[in-house]
Amino acid sequence: MKIQAIRGVKDILPGEIEKWHWVENKANQIFSRYGFKEIRLPIFEKTKLFSRGLGETTDIVEKEMYTFDDRGSEKITLRPEGTASVVRAFIEHNMYTSQTVHKLYYLGPMFRYERPQAGRLRQFYQIGVEVMGTHDPSIDAEVMIMLMEFFNSLGLNQFELQINSLGCDKCRPQYEETLKQAIVNHLPNLCENCNKRYKKNPLRVLDCKVKRDMEITLCLPKITDHICSKCKIHFEEVNSLLKEIEIPYSINPKLVRGLDYYTHTAFEVTSCKLGAQNAICGGGRYNTLVEQFDGPTTPCFGFALGLERLISLIQFDNINNVYKNPDVFVVSLGEKAKSISFNLVHRLRSGGLSVERDYDGSSIKSQMRKANKSESRFALIIGENEIKSGKYQLKNMQDGTQSNITADYCVEEIKSLISNHAIEL
Ligand code: HAM
């Protein structure tokens, strides 16, 4: 019986995973220079964390969550995103008591039951960052600047940063009322989904991807014209800081994001090279989520980027293989040599060398072919004669030269050859 992976999930095989490691290392390096520390979170949580945190009328909560009852009849959901879990952990571990500002980042799989297509998976990976504990608009700008530095370090150039302000819990309800009234006039021409959702969540209408709706929504009132003076000042400061560092961006008053927790700044990075699923990254400020889960007032700002989409955009010409090729490939001839080589391989590895060997008892020719294919630096050859004389043959696979080395000291001799070579380089 042949069992295949579930639709919308992907294996990441050797050959591909090196790209992931490279990107993840860059993220670790750059994010830690900005003061971020990693947090590892569970991949499943109580369902109400997401249904309450992300918003009951969001697409994710309405139709995309992988939710099930566990054996104790608890409602569990495979995380569709990381922000709600960070907030939960932040409160659960009283992190707010230790210092005022926390900068956290995470990496891992997320799960959304969406219709699979190019760039849209049911299990996909995100790298996300969250700054917890400051209102300061300079953190909004700083996090976006860090993201741009990260993208530049990956050699990414065709992308666009769009920002918007979604107001606060004081000015947004008024805007939503204005928007609702404006939408009513267009209802007969808007799609069924918008007709259903506009009453409870009119902002979603601005985000509709139906072409005709997109044209109609262009003429609806813009949130940036309706935010309060405090929100305006915050947004202007973010704009001016981005300009100061010469970050290219545009303001998109229709950018509302697909999650309900956002307040003030929201942003997205898209790439025209991605096709229909063009968002590489999205994020923004969420000043009320921690309080919503009974934590203290904690203004936050963060983003998450889709690793599959990001990696598909990177040119990987210059990456060296992150996996080390073997230092030594042990070639053995005959039963006795094979049994000696088992112990020898152990000694070589314990001595710090990276070692490969043949497992199939193949011919010398075939073992040498394998040594060659493994791109090993040396082949260490042991046959009956070598066992008798106590001298093994060592072949340098780069220049083809061959020498004898003493069986008892072969670990030290090979290591010294490698370190001499390293000095020459
Ligand atoms: P999001 O916009 O839902 O935001 O997801 C962030 C990124 O995850 C997207 O821009 C996209 O690259 C990737 N992504 C989302 N869904 C899929 C999918 N089905 N297949 C492949 N990639 C996907 C969030 O998740 C928020 N938690 C971001 C955030 C953090 N906001 C504040 N802090």
PDB file of all heavy atoms in Angstrom, residues 349-373:
ATOM      1  N   ARG A 349      35.982   8.826  14.040  1.00  0.00           N
ATOM      2  CA  ARG A 349      34.897   9.766  14.385  1.00  0.00           C
ATOM      3  C   ARG A 349      35.099  10.319  15.795  1.00  0.00           C
ATOM      4  O   ARG A 349      34.908  11.516  16.025  1.00  0.00           O
ATOM      5  CB  ARG A 349      33.532   9.080  14.282  1.00  0.00           C
ATOM      6  CG  ARG A 349      33.090   8.892  12.842  1.00  0.00           C
ATOM      7  CD  ARG A 349      31.666   8.354  12.771  1.00  0.00           C
ATOM      8  NE  ARG A 349      31.264   8.083  11.404  1.00  0.00           N
ATOM      9  CZ  ARG A 349      30.574   7.008  11.029  1.00  0.00           C
ATOM     10  NH1 ARG A 349      30.213   6.084  11.908  1.00  0.00           N
ATOM     11  NH2 ARG A 349      30.231   6.855   9.755  1.00  0.00           N
ATOM     12  N   SER A 350      35.508   9.429  16.718  1.00  0.00           N
ATOM     13  CA  SER A 350      35.732   9.900  18.092  1.00  0.00           C
ATOM     14  C   SER A 350      36.858  10.918  18.126  1.00  0.00           C
ATOM     15  O   SER A 350      36.896  11.782  18.999  1.00  0.00           O
ATOM     16  CB  SER A 350      36.093   8.751  19.027  1.00  0.00           C
ATOM     17  OG  SER A 350      35.087   7.786  18.971  1.00  0.00           O
ATOM     18  N   GLY A 351      37.778  10.789  17.166  1.00  0.00           N
ATOM     19  CA  GLY A 351      38.884  11.749  17.074  1.00  0.00           C
ATOM     20  C   GLY A 351      38.457  13.055  16.423  1.00  0.00           C
ATOM     21  O   GLY A 351      39.280  13.929  16.187  1.00  0.00           O
ATOM     22  N   GLY A 352      37.208  13.176  16.058  1.00  0.00           N
ATOM     23  CA  GLY A 352      36.692  14.462  15.547  1.00  0.00           C
ATOM     24  C   GLY A 352      36.602  14.521  14.033  1.00  0.00           C
ATOM     25  O   GLY A 352      36.282  15.572  13.466  1.00  0.00           O
ATOM     26  N   LEU A 353      36.900  13.406  13.360  1.00  0.00           N
ATOM     27  CA  LEU A 353      36.848  13.437  11.893  1.00  0.00           C
ATOM     28  C   LEU A 353      35.453  13.054  11.398  1.00  0.00           C
ATOM     29  O   LEU A 353      34.717  12.336  12.083  1.00  0.00           O
ATOM     30  CB  LEU A 353      37.875  12.460  11.316  1.00  0.00           C
ATOM     31  CG  LEU A 353      39.332  12.867  11.582  1.00  0.00           C
ATOM     32  CD1 LEU A 353      40.269  11.688  11.310  1.00  0.00           C
ATOM     33  CD2 LEU A 353      39.724  14.065  10.711  1.00  0.00           C
ATOM     34  N   SER A 354      35.126  13.555  10.207  1.00  0.00           N
ATOM     35  CA  SER A 354      33.851  13.153   9.627  1.00  0.00           C
ATOM     36  C   SER A 354      34.120  11.998   8.663  1.00  0.00           C
ATOM     37  O   SER A 354      34.961  12.111   7.765  1.00  0.00           O
ATOM     38  CB  SER A 354      33.219  14.382   8.962  1.00  0.00           C
ATOM     39  OG  SER A 354      32.807  14.100   7.694  1.00  0.00           O
ATOM     40  N   VAL A 355      33.447  10.883   8.916  1.00  0.00           N
ATOM     41  CA  VAL A 355      33.844   9.634   8.251  1.00  0.00           C
ATOM     42  C   VAL A 355      32.648   8.937   7.610  1.00  0.00           C
ATOM     43  O   VAL A 355      31.569   8.885   8.185  1.00  0.00           O
ATOM     44  CB  VAL A 355      34.487   8.650   9.271  1.00  0.00           C
ATOM     45  CG1 VAL A 355      35.062   7.432   8.564  1.00  0.00           C
ATOM     46  CG2 VAL A 355      35.556   9.350  10.078  1.00  0.00           C
ATOM     47  N   GLU A 356      32.871   8.403   6.425  1.00  0.00           N
ATOM     48  CA  GLU A 356      31.838   7.604   5.764  1.00  0.00           C
ATOM     49  C   GLU A 356      32.449   6.275   5.378  1.00  0.00           C
ATOM     50  O   GLU A 356      33.692   6.131   5.330  1.00  0.00           O
ATOM     51  CB  GLU A 356      31.341   8.386   4.532  1.00  0.00           C
ATOM     52  CG  GLU A 356      29.916   8.154   4.101  1.00  0.00           C
ATOM     53  CD  GLU A 356      28.945   7.789   5.223  1.00  0.00           C
ATOM     54  OE1 GLU A 356      28.939   6.593   5.607  1.00  0.00           O
ATOM     55  OE2 GLU A 356      28.220   8.658   5.696  1.00  0.00           O
ATOM     56  N   ARG A 357      31.627   5.280   5.172  1.00  0.00           N
ATOM     57  CA  ARG A 357      32.155   3.979   4.762  1.00  0.00           C
ATOM     58  C   ARG A 357      31.112   3.270   3.921  1.00  0.00           C
ATOM     59  O   ARG A 357      29.982   3.747   3.797  1.00  0.00           O
ATOM     60  CB  ARG A 357      32.538   3.131   5.982  1.00  0.00           C
ATOM     61  CG  ARG A 357      31.350   2.687   6.806  1.00  0.00           C
ATOM     62  CD  ARG A 357      31.805   1.947   8.046  1.00  0.00           C
ATOM     63  NE  ARG A 357      30.676   1.608   8.885  1.00  0.00           N
ATOM     64  CZ  ARG A 357      30.171   0.373   9.006  1.00  0.00           C
ATOM     65  NH1 ARG A 357      30.695  -0.630   8.329  1.00  0.00           N
ATOM     66  NH2 ARG A 357      29.146   0.147   9.791  1.00  0.00           N
ATOM     67  N   ASP A 358      31.513   2.124   3.390  1.00  0.00           N
ATOM     68  CA  ASP A 358      30.595   1.336   2.575  1.00  0.00           C
ATOM     69  C   ASP A 358      29.879   0.330   3.471  1.00  0.00           C
ATOM     70  O   ASP A 358      30.473  -0.213   4.392  1.00  0.00           O
ATOM     71  CB  ASP A 358      31.437   0.602   1.511  1.00  0.00           C
ATOM     72  CG  ASP A 358      30.582  -0.363   0.729  1.00  0.00           C
ATOM     73  OD1 ASP A 358      29.616   0.102   0.105  1.00  0.00           O
ATOM     74  OD2 ASP A 358      30.878  -1.579   0.765  1.00  0.00           O
ATOM     75  N   TYR A 359      28.596   0.135   3.234  1.00  0.00           N
ATOM     76  CA  TYR A 359      27.851  -0.800   4.070  1.00  0.00           C
ATOM     77  C   TYR A 359      27.485  -2.093   3.322  1.00  0.00           C
ATOM     78  O   TYR A 359      26.904  -2.990   3.903  1.00  0.00           O
ATOM     79  CB  TYR A 359      26.563  -0.147   4.585  1.00  0.00           C
ATOM     80  CG  TYR A 359      26.833   1.033   5.498  1.00  0.00           C
ATOM     81  CD1 TYR A 359      26.816   2.329   4.999  1.00  0.00           C
ATOM     82  CD2 TYR A 359      27.122   0.839   6.846  1.00  0.00           C
ATOM     83  CE1 TYR A 359      27.074   3.410   5.831  1.00  0.00           C
ATOM     84  CE2 TYR A 359      27.379   1.911   7.686  1.00  0.00           C
ATOM     85  CZ  TYR A 359      27.362   3.198   7.173  1.00  0.00           C
ATOM     86  OH  TYR A 359      27.623   4.253   7.999  1.00  0.00           O
ATOM     87  N   ASP A 360      27.760  -2.119   2.011  1.00  0.00           N
ATOM     88  CA  ASP A 360      27.205  -3.215   1.210  1.00  0.00           C
ATOM     89  C   ASP A 360      28.202  -4.308   0.862  1.00  0.00           C
ATOM     90  O   ASP A 360      27.872  -5.227   0.135  1.00  0.00           O
ATOM     91  CB  ASP A 360      26.662  -2.665  -0.121  1.00  0.00           C
ATOM     92  CG  ASP A 360      25.599  -1.632   0.130  1.00  0.00           C
ATOM     93  OD1 ASP A 360      24.924  -1.756   1.163  1.00  0.00           O
ATOM     94  OD2 ASP A 360      25.465  -0.703  -0.687  1.00  0.00           O
ATOM     95  N   GLY A 361      29.443  -4.214   1.335  1.00  0.00           N
ATOM     96  CA  GLY A 361      30.468  -5.185   0.955  1.00  0.00           C
ATOM     97  C   GLY A 361      30.722  -5.183  -0.542  1.00  0.00           C
ATOM     98  O   GLY A 361      30.896  -6.240  -1.157  1.00  0.00           O
ATOM     99  N   SER A 362      30.741  -3.979  -1.159  1.00  0.00           N
ATOM    100  CA  SER A 362      30.939  -3.921  -2.609  1.00  0.00           C
ATOM    101  C   SER A 362      32.420  -4.092  -2.966  1.00  0.00           C
ATOM    102  O   SER A 362      33.287  -4.106  -2.085  1.00  0.00           O
ATOM    103  CB  SER A 362      30.427  -2.610  -3.177  1.00  0.00           C
ATOM    104  OG  SER A 362      29.815  -1.820  -2.221  1.00  0.00           O
ATOM    105  N   SER A 363      32.672  -4.167  -4.273  1.00  0.00           N
ATOM    106  CA  SER A 363      34.040  -4.333  -4.769  1.00  0.00           C
ATOM    107  C   SER A 363      34.838  -3.065  -4.496  1.00  0.00           C
ATOM    108  O   SER A 363      34.259  -2.005  -4.253  1.00  0.00           O
ATOM    109  CB  SER A 363      34.007  -4.573  -6.280  1.00  0.00           C
ATOM    110  OG  SER A 363      33.563  -3.381  -6.895  1.00  0.00           O
ATOM    111  N   ILE A 364      36.184  -3.184  -4.581  1.00  0.00           N
ATOM    112  CA  ILE A 364      37.014  -1.993  -4.321  1.00  0.00           C
ATOM    113  C   ILE A 364      36.680  -0.864  -5.296  1.00  0.00           C
ATOM    114  O   ILE A 364      36.627   0.308  -4.925  1.00  0.00           O
ATOM    115  CB  ILE A 364      38.530  -2.334  -4.330  1.00  0.00           C
ATOM    116  CG1 ILE A 364      39.316  -1.065  -3.994  1.00  0.00           C
ATOM    117  CG2 ILE A 364      39.006  -2.886  -5.657  1.00  0.00           C
ATOM    118  CD1 ILE A 364      40.674  -1.294  -3.453  1.00  0.00           C
ATOM    119  N   LYS A 365      36.426  -1.263  -6.552  1.00  0.00           N
ATOM    120  CA  LYS A 365      36.123  -0.261  -7.582  1.00  0.00           C
ATOM    121  C   LYS A 365      34.860   0.511  -7.184  1.00  0.00           C
ATOM    122  O   LYS A 365      34.820   1.745  -7.236  1.00  0.00           O
ATOM    123  CB  LYS A 365      35.883  -0.998  -8.905  1.00  0.00           C
ATOM    124  CG  LYS A 365      36.325  -0.196 -10.092  1.00  0.00           C
ATOM    125  CD  LYS A 365      36.371  -1.084 -11.291  1.00  0.00           C
ATOM    126  CE  LYS A 365      36.218  -0.237 -12.535  1.00  0.00           C
ATOM    127  NZ  LYS A 365      35.972  -1.054 -13.693  1.00  0.00           N
ATOM    128  N   SER A 366      33.872  -0.256  -6.758  1.00  0.00           N
ATOM    129  CA  SER A 366      32.606   0.374  -6.401  1.00  0.00           C
ATOM    130  C   SER A 366      32.761   1.248  -5.149  1.00  0.00           C
ATOM    131  O   SER A 366      32.210   2.339  -5.059  1.00  0.00           O
ATOM    132  CB  SER A 366      31.569  -0.725  -6.214  1.00  0.00           C
ATOM    133  OG  SER A 366      30.579  -0.311  -5.357  1.00  0.00           O
ATOM    134  N   GLN A 367      33.577   0.772  -4.176  1.00  0.00           N
ATOM    135  CA  GLN A 367      33.785   1.574  -2.959  1.00  0.00           C
ATOM    136  C   GLN A 367      34.528   2.866  -3.297  1.00  0.00           C
ATOM    137  O   GLN A 367      34.230   3.921  -2.741  1.00  0.00           O
ATOM    138  CB  GLN A 367      34.579   0.777  -1.926  1.00  0.00           C
ATOM    139  CG  GLN A 367      33.766  -0.354  -1.308  1.00  0.00           C
ATOM    140  CD  GLN A 367      34.501  -0.987  -0.120  1.00  0.00           C
ATOM    141  OE1 GLN A 367      34.910  -0.302   0.797  1.00  0.00           O
ATOM    142  NE2 GLN A 367      34.676  -2.301  -0.161  1.00  0.00           N
ATOM    143  N   MET A 368      35.505   2.780  -4.224  1.00  0.00           N
ATOM    144  CA  MET A 368      36.241   3.995  -4.605  1.00  0.00           C
ATOM    145  C   MET A 368      35.302   4.978  -5.318  1.00  0.00           C
ATOM    146  O   MET A 368      35.427   6.186  -5.166  1.00  0.00           O
ATOM    147  CB  MET A 368      37.456   3.649  -5.504  1.00  0.00           C
ATOM    148  CG  MET A 368      38.590   2.961  -4.785  1.00  0.00           C
ATOM    149  SD  MET A 368      39.170   3.827  -3.291  1.00  0.00           S
ATOM    150  CE  MET A 368      39.995   5.238  -3.995  1.00  0.00           C
ATOM    151  N   ARG A 369      34.373   4.406  -6.105  1.00  0.00           N
ATOM    152  CA  ARG A 369      33.383   5.275  -6.777  1.00  0.00           C
ATOM    153  C   ARG A 369      32.538   6.004  -5.718  1.00  0.00           C
ATOM    154  O   ARG A 369      32.276   7.186  -5.817  1.00  0.00           O
ATOM    155  CB  ARG A 369      32.481   4.420  -7.678  1.00  0.00           C
ATOM    156  CG  ARG A 369      32.797   4.602  -9.170  1.00  0.00           C
ATOM    157  CD  ARG A 369      31.611   4.220 -10.039  1.00  0.00           C
ATOM    158  NE  ARG A 369      31.029   2.930  -9.701  1.00  0.00           N
ATOM    159  CZ  ARG A 369      31.414   1.756 -10.212  1.00  0.00           C
ATOM    160  NH1 ARG A 369      32.390   1.709 -11.095  1.00  0.00           N
ATOM    161  NH2 ARG A 369      30.814   0.634  -9.861  1.00  0.00           N
ATOM    162  N   LYS A 370      32.154   5.256  -4.686  1.00  0.00           N
ATOM    163  CA  LYS A 370      31.342   5.869  -3.618  1.00  0.00           C
ATOM    164  C   LYS A 370      32.140   6.955  -2.889  1.00  0.00           C
ATOM    165  O   LYS A 370      31.617   8.014  -2.550  1.00  0.00           O
ATOM    166  CB  LYS A 370      30.879   4.813  -2.613  1.00  0.00           C
ATOM    167  CG  LYS A 370      29.751   3.942  -3.150  1.00  0.00           C
ATOM    168  CD  LYS A 370      29.315   2.918  -2.123  1.00  0.00           C
ATOM    169  CE  LYS A 370      28.388   1.895  -2.742  1.00  0.00           C
ATOM    170  NZ  LYS A 370      28.156   0.734  -1.901  1.00  0.00           N
ATOM    171  N   ALA A 371      33.454   6.645  -2.653  1.00  0.00           N
ATOM    172  CA  ALA A 371      34.315   7.631  -1.978  1.00  0.00           C
ATOM    173  C   ALA A 371      34.366   8.915  -2.801  1.00  0.00           C
ATOM    174  O   ALA A 371      34.272  10.026  -2.275  1.00  0.00           O
ATOM    175  CB  ALA A 371      35.710   7.055  -1.798  1.00  0.00           C
ATOM    176  N   ASN A 372      34.474   8.727  -4.111  1.00  0.00           N
ATOM    177  CA  ASN A 372      34.551   9.857  -5.025  1.00  0.00           C
ATOM    178  C   ASN A 372      33.260  10.672  -4.984  1.00  0.00           C
ATOM    179  O   ASN A 372      33.266  11.897  -4.869  1.00  0.00           O
ATOM    180  CB  ASN A 372      34.756   9.288  -6.432  1.00  0.00           C
ATOM    181  CG  ASN A 372      35.559  10.238  -7.268  1.00  0.00           C
ATOM    182  OD1 ASN A 372      36.145  11.189  -6.746  1.00  0.00           O
ATOM    183  ND2 ASN A 372      35.558  10.007  -8.574  1.00  0.00           N
ATOM    184  N   LYS A 373      32.162   9.948  -5.052  1.00  0.00           N
ATOM    185  CA  LYS A 373      30.846  10.591  -5.070  1.00  0.00           C
ATOM    186  C   LYS A 373      30.555  11.352  -3.768  1.00  0.00           C
ATOM    187  O   LYS A 373      29.907  12.393  -3.759  1.00  0.00           O
ATOM    188  CB  LYS A 373      29.770   9.515  -5.293  1.00  0.00           C
ATOM    189  CG  LYS A 373      28.523  10.087  -5.901  1.00  0.00           C
ATOM    190  CD  LYS A 373      27.592   9.015  -6.381  1.00  0.00           C
ATOM    191  CE  LYS A 373      26.209   9.624  -6.553  1.00  0.00           C
ATOM    192  NZ  LYS A 373      25.170   8.640  -6.411  1.00  0.00           N
TER     193      LYS A 373
END
